Structure formats: C-alpha cells, structure tokens
Amino acid sequence: MNIKKIFLILIFLNFLTPSFSASMNMIGEKGDPLKIDRTINIKMYDNYYEPNIVKIKKGETIRFVVENLGELVHEYNIGTKEMHIKHQPEMQKLIDHEIILVDKIDRIKMKKMSKMDHSLGHSHANSIMLEPKSTGEIIWKFSKDINLEMACNIPGHYESGMVGNLTFN
Ligand SMILES: [Cu+2]
C-alpha cells in the first residue's frame, strides 16, 4: 500500500470517529469563557442533581459550576437522551478497566489507556466527571434549542434518578 493510500484511509477514519462531535453540534458548542451570560451552580449527590431543572434561553453561554457533594464519583454531562444512552457503555468500559472506582478516578491510567482506546479518554467539552468533594466547571453555549438532559452516565446512576432537564423558554 502506498503512502497516499494510507493517508486517504486515515482521513476517512477521521471522518468516522468524530460521530460524537457531530452530534455535539446539534446541542450547542463549547462556550467562550469571555462571553458568559450566567453562572449556575449544580450540586451532585448520590444519585441526583440539585437543581434538576434549569431553564435556558437560546444563545446563552452558561458556566456550570459543578460540585460533587456525594460519596461516589459522578458526572455532569449535557446531551440529548439518545446521547446519554449511547454514552453509557463507554462509562461501563471505564469501570471495567478500573479507571472509575467507587470514589476515585484514576486519571493517570485514563490518560495511558486513552492512547490505545480513544473512548477511554473521556474528555468532551459537554461533560465533567468529579470525585467526591471536588468542584469543576463546564462552559456551554446553547446555540440550539433542543431539549436536553443533564445526566450522570456512570452505570446505575441515570436509572436511579441522576438526570435532570435543561429546558428552553
Ligand atoms: Cu453519578
């Protein structure tokens, strides 16, 4: 196989893998930290969010300051219901590889393993995963007004109620 052919295949593969970012475009985009309209504080407990309904205006850039007050690792992930359901097997993989432990995230292992399997990297602009007693943030621009959910896709959490609504008015 010549170099040009390999190169073309690589380009083709590149089109296949970011199916996630393609679906991300339909829910909005990573927000500009210099253009924040509002800050919303979200508290994560075992297994629910507070608040679990957030009203959004189309076009708003929101900084979510997310605090994990539970005793388990949790995620704050913005997406459609379909995206969350699709994301759940990925989270199961992180558990299987012992990257997510009950109350810890092995970020060194995550980094190492993501070189072999990109889906284990778990770094998307629309989500953040936090250990207990830690805080993080997401800045998201809601450029599309489709109904979204905030959800934790760690196995069992979504099902037990760790899901809320981001609704447009
Ligand atoms: Cu959770």
Side-chain angles (χ1 to χ4, degrees):
M1 212 187 287
N2 63 33
I3 298 278
K4 202 176 165 193
K5 228 175 191 173
I6 293 171
F7 188 65
L8 283 174
I9 288 172
L10 283 177
I11 290 176
F12 179 68
L13 284 176
N14 224 359
F15 273 112
L16 289 181
T17 42
S19 60
F20 195 76
S21 38
S23 57
M24 280 241 267
N25 293 337
M26 72 183 211
I27 65 163
E29 60 208 80
K30 189 177 176 172
D32 181 346
L34 299 173
K35 292 178 185 159
I36 293 166
D37 297 304
R38 274 197 293 158
T39 295
I40 292 174
N41 295 296
I42 303 282
K43 293 186 168 85
M44 303 199 287
Y45 296 95
D46 312 321
N47 296 327
Y48 60 96
Y49 296 112
E50 224 181 74
N52 79 347
I53 296 176
V54 173
K55 288 192 170 163
I56 311 278
K57 289 187 186 76
K58 188 183 172 192
E60 261 187 327
T61 296
I62 295 182
R63 174 169 58 174
F64 292 94
V65 177
V66 184
E67 200 180 351
N68 185 357
L69 295 167
E71 309 214 313
L72 308 170
V73 170
H74 291 297
E75 168 190 55
Y76 186 78
N77 189 322
I78 298 169
T80 59
K81 188 184 271 298
E82 293 70 31
M83 284 167 75
H84 293 311
I85 287 163
K86 237 165 118 181
H87 181 46
Q88 283 163 10
E90 257 178 56
M91 291 300 254
Q92 183 63 52
K93 248 203 278 188
L94 293 175
I95 302 265
D96 295 344
H97 285 87
E98 294 179 316
I99 290 170
I100 301 175
L101 304 161
V102 175
D103 60 352
K104 278 199 169 45
I105 303 164
D106 190 338
R107 298 205 189 260
I108 294 168
K109 196 174 188 181
M110 178 149 74
K111 207 171 170 187
K112 235 194 267 171
M113 298 203 64
S114 69
K115 284 178 189 148
M116 292 176 275
D117 181 343
H118 201 71
S119 69
L120 295 173
H122 199 264
S123 65
H124 301 299
N126 64 325
S127 76
I128 187 164
M129 194 160 54
L130 294 168
E131 289 180 350
K133 314 290 172 279
S134 61
T135 302
E137 61 175 54
I138 293 180
I139 299 169
W140 194 256
K141 181 172 183 188
F142 293 87
S143 37
K144 307 278 161 59
D145 58 349
I146 64 168
N147 282 328
L148 298 171
E149 288 179 349
M150 46 177 149
C152 175
N153 292 302
I154 291 176
H157 294 203
Y158 184 98
E159 297 87 323
S160 64
M162 201 151 188
V163 54
N165 292 303
L166 299 159
T167 58
F168 291 85
N169 51 4

